[in-house]
Amino acid sequence: YRAVERFRAQLEALDLAPDDLDARPDFLQATGWFVRRAVLFLLGGPLAALGAVVFFVPYQLTGWVARQPGLDRDVRSTWKILAGAVCHAAWVLLLAVVAGIWFGPLAALACLVGLPVLGLLTAGVRDSWVDACLDVRRYRTLLAGGEVLERLREHRRVLAESLEVMRVTLD
C-alpha cells in the first residue's frame, strides 16, 4: 500500500496521471491546444478581468469566511460554497438596486440577468487558465522526459507486477 501511495504522490507532485507516462508530446496537438486556449483567453479574458473587478468584494468576503480558524477541509469547503452563494447573490442584488436607482428599472434588470452570466464566465475563464497552466507544466515535464519518467515507468511496472502476484495469490 505504501509503495502505491508513494507512486501516487510522485505523480501528483508532477501533475501527472498514470496514463501520462505513456504519452508522447506531439507538436501539432500542442499547437492546436495553444490556438484554442489563445482564442478563449483573447475573447474571454477581458470579460473575465471585468468580472474579477466587479466581483472583487464578494470574492474576498467568501475567502475570509472560508479562512476562519478551526474549520477542517470539508467544513471549510461547505462554508466557502454557502458563503459564496450568499455573498455573490447579495452583491448582484445590491448592484441591481443601485443601477435601478441611478439608471432605472431596465438597468436593474440588466444587472440581474447580466451579472450572474459575467460571474460564471469569469469563473470559467479562471478555471480554464488554471487548467492551462497545469497542462503546460505537464507538457514540459513529458517533453523533457528523461530519467524521471523512466524511473516512474519502472516504478509503475514493478507495482503492476506486485499487484498481479497478489491477485494470483489471493485467487
Side-chain angles (χ1 to χ4, degrees), residues 44-104:
L47 286 174
L50 174 64
V53 170
V54 169
F55 288 102
F56 180 80
V57 171
Y59 186 78
Q60 294 302 314
L61 285 171
T62 300
W64 177 79
V65 168
R67 286 188 302 272
Q68 294 308 301
L71 298 177
D72 66 6
R73 187 176 181 179
D74 292 339
V75 174
R76 186 180 313 274
S77 296
T78 302
W79 273 104
K80 194 171 190 177
I81 290 170
L82 294 173
V86 170
C87 289
H88 284 77
W91 187 250
V92 167
L93 286 173
L94 175 66
L95 292 179
V97 168
V98 169
I101 291 169
W102 283 356
F103 303 107

Side-chain angles (χ1 to χ4, degrees), residues 25-159:
D26 178 83
F27 180 76
L28 288 177
Q29 282 181 327
T31 303
W33 175 91
F34 175 79
V35 168
R36 288 189 304 276
R37 292 304 185 277
V39 169
L40 171 71
F41 295 130
L42 286 173
L43 297 177
L47 286 174
L50 174 64
V53 170
V54 169
F55 288 102
F56 180 80
V57 171
Y59 186 78
Q60 294 302 314
L61 285 171
T62 300
W64 177 79
V65 168
R67 286 188 302 272
Q68 294 308 301
L71 298 177
D72 66 6
R73 187 176 181 179
D74 292 339
V75 174
R76 186 180 313 274
S77 296
T78 302
W79 273 104
K80 194 171 190 177
I81 290 170
L82 294 173
V86 170
C87 289
H88 284 77
W91 187 250
V92 167
L93 286 173
L94 175 66
L95 292 179
V97 168
V98 169
I101 291 169
W102 283 356
F103 303 107
L106 219 50
L109 182 61
C111 283
L112 288 173
V113 173
L115 288 177
V117 172
L118 178 63
L120 291 172
L121 175 73
T122 301
V125 171
R126 185 188 64 236
D127 291 348
S128 293
W129 180 259
V130 169
D131 290 345
C133 290
L134 291 174
D135 286 346
V136 167
R137 185 172 162 193
R138 187 176 302 115
Y139 180 77
R140 282 190 3 219
T141 300
L142 293 173
L143 199 57
E147 190 178 318
V148 171
L149 289 180
E150 284 306 316
R151 281 196 321 245
L152 286 169
R153 288 182 189 119
E154 177 62 17
H155 194 171
R156 179 183 61 183
R157 187 189 62 74
V158 168
L159 285 174

